[in-house]
Amino acid sequence: QRQLVESGGGLVQAGGSLRLSCAASGSIFAVGDMRWYRQGPGDLRDMVASITSDGITNYADSVKGRCTISRDNAKNTVDLFLNNLKPEDTAVYYCNAELARDWTKRLYNYWGQGTQVTVSS
C-alpha cells in the first residue's frame, strides 16, 4: 500500500485550471512538511510548492501567482491548484511529505507515484 497517492492529473487546454490532490494513508501518526514537485520531459525534478505543518507556503517563481497549495491536517491531504496553465507546465507531478509511521513521531520522507499533467496549446 502506497503511503502517498496523487490524483487529478490529466489533459487540459492552455489557460485552464487543474486541482491535484494527494492523500496520505497507512500508519500515519503525524505529518510534517508537504510538497509538490514536477518533472518535465528531459528536466530535473523541481519543487513547485511547499507547505509546512503550520501552513507556511512557498512557491517556485515559475508558478507564483498561478498556484495555490493547501492542506487539510484532519484528512492528511494536500492539494495543488494550478490556474492559467501553460504548455510548459506539462510534467509528471509528485507529492512529497514527511510522515511519522509510529508512536515515536519521527518523520521520514515519502514520495507519491506521480500523476501526469499535459497542457495543450
Side-chain angles (χ1 to χ4, degrees):
Q1 185 179 3
R2 287 190 166 93
Q3 294 292 296
L4 297 173
V5 178
E6 303 101 332
S7 63
L11 193 152
V12 63
Q13 290 186 328
S17 300
L18 272 181
R19 170 181 167 252
L20 304 180
S21 296
C22 174
S25 62
S27 299
I28 306 300
F29 286 74
V31 183
D33 294 353
M34 306 186 84
R35 316 170 185 92
W36 284 95
Y37 287 74
R38 70 184 181 186
Q39 186 170 15
D43 293 334
L44 300 174
R45 187 176 298 185
D46 295 323
M47 187 183 297
V48 177
S50 64
I51 183 167
T52 70
S53 59
D54 292 329
I56 306 300
T57 60
N58 190 38
Y59 299 94
D61 289 339
S62 58
V63 300
K64 202 167 295 181
R66 305 186 296 117
C67 181
T68 301
I69 186 171
S70 64
R71 64 189 290 161
D72 188 330
N73 290 332
K75 297 180 179 179
N76 295 325
T77 60
V78 60
D79 289 350
L80 188 74
F81 298 88
L82 296 167
N83 304 308
N84 191 24
L85 287 161
K86 305 174 181 180
E88 49 262 45
D89 293 320
T90 295
V92 177
Y93 285 72
Y94 296 90
C95 179
N96 176 269
E98 298 172 330
L99 305 177
R101 299 172 294 179
D102 57 34
W103 64 271
T104 68
K105 303 293 185 71
R106 306 309 300 176
L107 296 172
Y108 298 87
N109 193 58
Y110 291 86
W111 290 92
Q113 80 285 356
T115 184
Q116 177 71 48
V117 172
T118 302
V119 183
S120 62
S121 300

